[in-house]
């Protein structure tokens, strides 16, 4: 409950009542013990907590370590997050190749965000051979699960005719769907641009 409020920026960890802070310290201690024993979900939760400073001092190094442990055990979200860390070079040597490897592991498990990220890698040729066709395959997998960014990215491929026959009608349909799914950064701008030129 508290984590949800903090994620929505309704409350800051430092402003929590002392009783909740003490409770949070107990939770962190239990999760730390479980993570040390190899508990995959404890590793994943702690990695997120350290990555964003939820109830603990933000520590990217500790987040990377815990995320790596959970990812090696097959936790799809952690595999996707670890790919992002390698892509950004967050407390590790930046490597598009390693990012793509971890995204591929999570994508194989059907994790939509990883499918989309790996699609971006193929689209740009970051760490993998450039392939619009492979990017589109991955975007379609993410889009089928309702992933708004995958939907926007697929729309862009149709708008540009990259890997598919150009179709403004399909691009508009996908951008509108992405907006309905909550993608507010690129889909509205792309939709406005297409509506301007057609």
């Amino acid at each position: 409950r508290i984590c949800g409020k903090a994620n929505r920026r309704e409350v800051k960890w430092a402003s929590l009542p002392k009783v909740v802070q003490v409770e949070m310290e107990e939770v962190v201690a239990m999760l730390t013990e479980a993570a040390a024993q190899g508990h995959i979900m404890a590793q994943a939760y702690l990695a997120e907590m350290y990555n964003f400073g939820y109830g603990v001092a933000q520590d990217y190094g500790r987040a990377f370590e815990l995320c790596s442990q959970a990812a090696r055990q097959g936790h799809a979200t952690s595999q996707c997050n670890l790919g992002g860390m390698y892509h950004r070079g967050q407390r590790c040597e930046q490597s598009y190749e390693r990012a793509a490897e971890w995204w591929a592991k999570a994508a194989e498990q059907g994790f939509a965000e990883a499918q989309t990220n790996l699609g971006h890698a193929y689209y740009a040729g970051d760490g993998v051979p450039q392939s619009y066709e492979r990017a589109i395959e991955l975007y379609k997998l993410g889009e089928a699960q309702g992933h708004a960014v995958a939907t926007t990215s697929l729309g862009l491929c149709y708008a540009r005719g990259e890997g598919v026959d150009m179709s403004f009608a399909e691009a508009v349909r996908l951008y509108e769907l992405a907006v309905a799914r909550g993608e507010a950064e690129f889909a509205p701008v792309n939709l406005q641009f297409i509506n301007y030129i057609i």
Side-chain angles (χ1 to χ4, degrees):
R1 185 173 48 102
I2 297 297
C3 188
K5 286 184 176 185
N7 287 340
R8 292 186 304 272
R9 305 210 191 313
E10 295 172 8
V11 66
K12 295 193 183 296
W13 288 109
S15 67
L16 293 174
K18 187 66 177 167
V19 66
V20 175
Q21 289 179 4
V22 169
E23 184 177 311
M24 194 66 200
E25 289 169 4
E26 292 171 3
V27 168
V28 170
M30 287 186 286
L31 285 172
T32 300
E33 184 178 335
Q37 295 173 15
H39 190 278
I40 192 170
M41 292 307 296
Q43 292 165 343
Y45 285 136
L46 276 175
E48 288 291 303
M49 292 170 73
Y50 280 106
N51 195 43
F52 295 103
Y54 295 152
V56 294
Q58 192 171 38
D59 183 341
Y60 291 133
R62 185 76 173 121
F64 179 82
E65 175 189 337
L66 289 159
C67 191
S68 296
Q69 292 170 4
R72 284 192 299 272
Q73 291 192 69
H75 189 259
T77 302
S78 295
Q79 290 171 334
C80 184
N81 291 344
L82 189 59
M85 290 175 177
Y86 275 110
H87 191 262
R88 294 184 301 276
Q90 182 178 320
R91 287 293 189 227
C92 59
E93 185 176 326
Q94 191 277 333
S95 170
Y96 291 144
E97 292 80 11
R98 299 286 311 268
E101 289 170 14
W102 283 109
W103 287 332
K105 291 176 189 295
E108 288 169 11
Q109 295 186 60
F111 195 67
E113 185 175 343
Q115 292 165 338
T116 304
N117 290 346
L118 188 58
H120 294 332
Y122 275 101
Y123 185 90
D126 287 341
V128 293
Q130 195 284 327
S131 171
Y132 292 136
E133 292 76 14
R134 182 66 178 131
I136 288 166
E137 290 172 12
L138 290 158
Y139 292 152
K140 284 182 177 180
L141 291 172
E143 189 279 325
Q145 295 182 65
H147 194 273
V149 174
T151 307
T152 300
S153 299
L154 188 57
L156 183 64
C157 291
Y158 278 99
R160 293 181 174 176
E162 295 172 330
V164 292
D165 292 334
M166 183 182 287
S167 171
F168 287 146
E170 182 63 3
V172 166
R173 184 189 75 77
L174 289 163
Y175 290 150
E176 287 174 346
L177 182 57
V179 168
R181 290 176 170 170
E183 203 284 298
E185 189 172 356
F186 297 109
V189 173
N190 293 350
L191 185 58
Q192 185 177 27
F193 179 73
I194 283 188
N195 285 329
Y196 176 76
I197 62 172
I198 56 174

